[in-house]
Amino acid sequence: MTKATQRRLAAIVAADVVGYSRLMGADEEGTLATLQTLRRDLLDPAISRHNGRIVKTTGDGLLLEFASVLDAVRCSIAMQAAMADAMAERPDDERMLFRIGVNLGDIIIDGDDIHGDGVNVAARLEALAEPGGLAISGTVHEQVQDKLDTAFIDAGPVEMKNIARPVQVWHWTSRTIPETGPAGTTQPLPAKPSIAVLPFANMSGDPEQEYFSDGITEDIITALSKFRWFFVIARNSAFVYKGRAVDVSQVGAELGVRYVLEGSVRKAGDRIRVTAQLIEAENASHVWAERYDRKLEDIFELQDEITATIAAAVEPELAGSERRRALRKPTEDLDAWDLFQRGVARMWLHDRAGVETGRALFAEAVARDSEFGQARGYLAFAAFMLLVYEWAEDRDTLLREGLDQANRALSLDEKDYFALHALGRLHTLAGNHAAAVRALEASIAGNPNFVLGYAALAEAHVYGGDPRSALEYAETAMRLSPADPMMQVMLHYVGSAHIRLDDYDAAITALERACDMRSAQYVPYTVNRHAKLTHFGGL
């Protein structure tokens, strides 16, 4: 007789270290020691005090179960507060932060392990939380809102991958927002995302290295200016702050920017280290940070490489921050920009419901502002996604609509690199190889740090019969974005190019890397199977 499935209602906490791979890459032993110390001295005791159970650990993550929702949230806040105190004196690039998601839901009992949608939603919430913060579901908020002297920010309903219905999300962060504004004159924020790049500090103790740190700063300003949806403060205004200890909130107010990028350059022997961090100026919260260690050989080539890598990394982080801001706004306050950002967030879920919802939000943004070229470019790209995943009921009509929206976006801004990219992707699907390559080459000419443009050129050349060019473009995309969530797509193009070059060993290596990734979809599996059948005559 089959044993009945055991279930129970529980509060589930999913916690994960932000940027764990980066920390491990920089100092593997130190990172492991830090995490073990934090677990022993702070986190495990907090879990025990709040009557929680550690279900399992996953290297840098924890899955916890609580009988009480209130205990789960109190424990999560206590953990984040303890972490913030422990990390306060650490340099930004060595600081260990957690994201935490809390959900109340039905779980399936499997020995000491737990499964089910209740657990899956907690994991999705953890991914939405800000570094050092919490994201909790609406059901959790209902249980704790009158029992905690803690403010939560309503992010509205959020659609989650493989979850049937949107989940109401609330955010908590330990940051405090100053009650009074900064001294000095202030500037209003422009309509689109705005950023200032402060002069990178020369930490080498060698005045001769000043030219390198200044050059990095100037090149990053130029590179970010290529992203046409940014408002980037000019070099002369940014360099007013050179050599000064500044408060980024004050800089944001004085320059009228939402984000500040700052960093440092340190030379030691024949090596150089560049650090960079992106900060949301209003509340001084860290959006992103990274460290680059390189050998000092050709100084100008090194400067170009670091500039391109930083610019390529900042764009998606800033875009993600803007999407989170839009998701936090009350529905009744949405304008065309917020609708657009919500649409982008939905579309990148890469499921049919997300793409269709995103497409509808882009259409609504265009209805509110007919000259919103970016929204038209994304309407074109949404059409491409529906076509490439074979979710379109009328392919010919949707292809025409996508091409029309891309061309209308370009009529508003002929240098819109994203619209050029969408146009090229659609031409690739239509078999118009020459037109696809022209559009995509124009896309990366307009923005040499646009990762999707290089990936799209790899795709175009794979299907257009030029696998060697496909490999070059795919490798550039992977170099610009080595931790890209869509790395499996780039590896698929690499594998497909190697198949066309009859190099099946290299193809299978790339495709198996793609298949091993969590984001992998059916395409690399199918192509990998084909490669093995062709090469080995079977599996």
Side-chain angles (χ1 to χ4, degrees):
M1 189 170 179
T2 304
K3 185 178 178 181
T5 302
Q6 289 186 294
R7 294 177 177 270
R8 64 170 172 254
L9 188 67
I12 308 101
V13 173
D16 195 64
V17 177
V18 179
Y20 186 70
S21 298
R22 174 182 59 81
L23 292 168
M24 288 289 283
D27 182 3
E28 189 173 88
E29 292 183 1
T31 298
L32 285 171
T34 297
L35 184 56
Q36 289 167 358
T37 301
L38 291 169
R39 284 281 313 275
R40 183 190 67 235
D41 297 344
L42 301 177
L43 304 183
D44 289 11
I47 294 163
S48 178
R49 284 197 309 273
H50 292 88
N51 308 306
R53 178 176 79 90
I54 299 175
V55 177
K56 60 184 174 185
T57 60
T58 55
D60 63 328
L62 294 168
L63 181 65
L64 314 175
E65 180 190 356
F66 294 79
S68 160
V69 181
L70 197 58
D71 279 346
V73 176
R74 281 176 171 161
C75 179
S76 299
I77 291 174
M79 289 166 62
Q80 292 291 41
M83 287 284 293
D85 288 344
M87 295 290 111
E89 301 301 319
R90 294 277 187 108
D92 289 330
D93 61 344
E94 297 176 12
R95 194 171 294 165
M96 186 174 288
L97 298 171
F98 271 83
R99 288 190 177 97
I100 296 180
V102 187
N103 184 42
L104 173 65
D106 190 55
I107 59 173
I108 299 170
I109 312 306
D110 181 12
D112 290 332
D113 206 352
I114 57 177
H115 305 283
D117 273 358
V119 177
N120 295 339
V121 170
R124 300 282 188 266
L125 287 164
E126 174 263 304
L128 293 173
E130 295 185 13
L134 273 63
I136 67 174
S137 63
T139 52
V140 170
H141 187 258
E142 288 174 10
Q143 298 293 318
V144 303
Q145 60 181 329
D146 297 322
K147 301 171 185 172
L148 289 174
D149 186 19
T150 301
F152 291 88
I153 300 169
D154 185 0
V158 177
E159 292 184 10
M160 297 179 177
K161 186 175 182 180
N162 297 328
I163 303 300
R165 295 183 181 85
V167 176
Q168 187 75 21
V169 178
W170 294 78
H171 286 278
W172 171 89
T173 175
S174 61
R175 298 188 307 269
T176 55
I177 300 174
E179 294 181 1
T180 57
T185 59
T186 62
Q187 300 292 332
L189 290 174
K192 58 184 179 179
S194 45
I195 185 170
V197 182
L198 297 185
F200 276 40
N202 172 21
M203 307 293 288
S204 304
D206 178 4
E208 302 239 345
Q209 295 303 315
E210 204 74 23
Y211 75 91
F212 183 79
S213 56
D214 286 354
I216 285 277
T217 307
E218 293 176 9
D219 284 357
I220 291 172
I221 291 171
T222 301
L224 291 179
S225 298
K226 301 288 186 181
F227 293 98
R228 297 170 70 81
W229 63 283
F230 288 3
F231 177 91
V232 183
I233 291 295
R235 182 248 190 231
N236 287 351
S237 293
F239 269 72
V240 168
Y241 297 91
K242 182 175 172 63
R244 291 167 49 186
V246 297
D247 179 325
V248 292
S249 297
Q250 182 176 341
V251 171
E254 291 177 353
L255 295 179
V257 294
R258 185 171 291 158
Y259 302 94
V260 171
L261 181 72
E262 61 180 13
S264 64
V265 177
R266 185 187 301 274
K267 178 178 174 289
D270 65 345
R271 298 194 66 82
I272 196 160
R273 170 175 291 178
V274 178
T275 64
Q277 54 187 357
L278 180 65
I279 302 168
E280 191 170 343
E282 181 184 35
N283 44 36
S285 64
H286 286 71
V287 177
W288 165 86
E290 192 55 270
R291 183 175 75 189
Y292 305 91
D293 290 310
R294 298 290 189 273
K295 196 165 184 179
L296 193 59
E297 293 174 337
D298 185 328
I299 191 74
F300 297 110
E301 185 176 330
L302 174 65
Q303 187 170 315
D304 289 344
E305 178 198 347
I306 291 177
T307 296
T309 306
I310 291 175
V314 165
E315 192 269 345
E317 293 292 344
L318 196 149
S321 181
E322 284 295 294
R323 292 197 291 273
R324 290 190 291 273
R325 287 175 62 87
L327 289 170
R328 290 197 296 266
K329 289 191 73 171
T331 305
E332 60 271 16
D333 290 344
L334 297 181
D335 56 21
W337 176 254
D338 298 317
L339 288 164
F340 169 68
Q341 289 296 341
R342 287 189 175 211
V344 174
R346 300 296 188 269
M347 189 182 68
W348 289 126
L349 293 174
H350 281 279
D351 57 27
R352 183 171 184 171
V355 176
E356 289 178 342
T357 301
R359 185 168 175 246
L361 287 165
F362 300 144
E364 190 176 346
V366 168
R368 294 197 185 194
D369 181 356
S370 62
E371 296 190 358
F372 194 170
Q374 278 178 269
R376 291 191 183 277
Y378 271 81
L379 267 173
F381 188 62
F384 164 78
M385 291 183 73
L386 291 170
L387 288 163
V388 79
Y389 288 128
E390 298 185 355
W391 293 331
E393 295 179 5
D394 184 344
R395 293 183 62 83
D396 291 341
T397 299
L398 187 58
L399 179 61
R400 284 195 300 272
E401 288 177 1
L403 290 168
D404 176 62
Q405 290 296 342
N407 284 314
R408 292 179 74 175
L410 292 168
S411 72
L412 294 164
D413 180 359
E414 64 182 8
K415 295 182 179 179
D416 183 337
Y417 62 89
F418 192 90
L420 284 163
H421 149 263
L423 181 65
R425 304 293 292 260
L426 289 163
H427 276 311
T428 297
L429 277 183
N432 304 327
H433 177 64
V437 170
R438 280 197 304 273
L440 293 167
E441 287 180 344
S443 173
I444 62 169
N447 185 351
N449 305 303
F450 182 43
V451 174
L452 279 178
Y454 290 99
L457 269 166
E459 177 189 47
H461 285 303
V462 162
Y463 298 116
D466 186 356
R468 295 195 185 280
S469 292
L471 284 175
E472 290 178 13
Y473 286 118
E475 286 163 3
T476 300
M478 291 189 290
R479 186 173 70 250
L480 282 173
S481 187
D484 200 288
M486 294 308 293
M487 179 62 71
Q488 56 97 7
V489 174
M490 301 174 198
L491 288 167
H492 160 225
Y493 299 148
V494 170
S496 298
H498 279 303
I499 288 173
R500 285 158 175 77
L501 292 168
D502 293 326
D503 187 350
Y504 285 92
D505 288 333
I508 291 166
T509 298
L511 291 164
E512 289 192 339
R513 279 183 62 197
C515 293
D516 286 342
M517 294 185 171
R518 278 200 277 182
S519 59
Q521 295 159 333
Y522 71 92
V523 175
Y525 288 99
T526 304
V527 178
N528 192 33
R529 182 180 177 83
H530 163 74
K532 287 182 174 179
L533 284 168
T534 304
H535 191 39
F536 299 119
L539 300 176

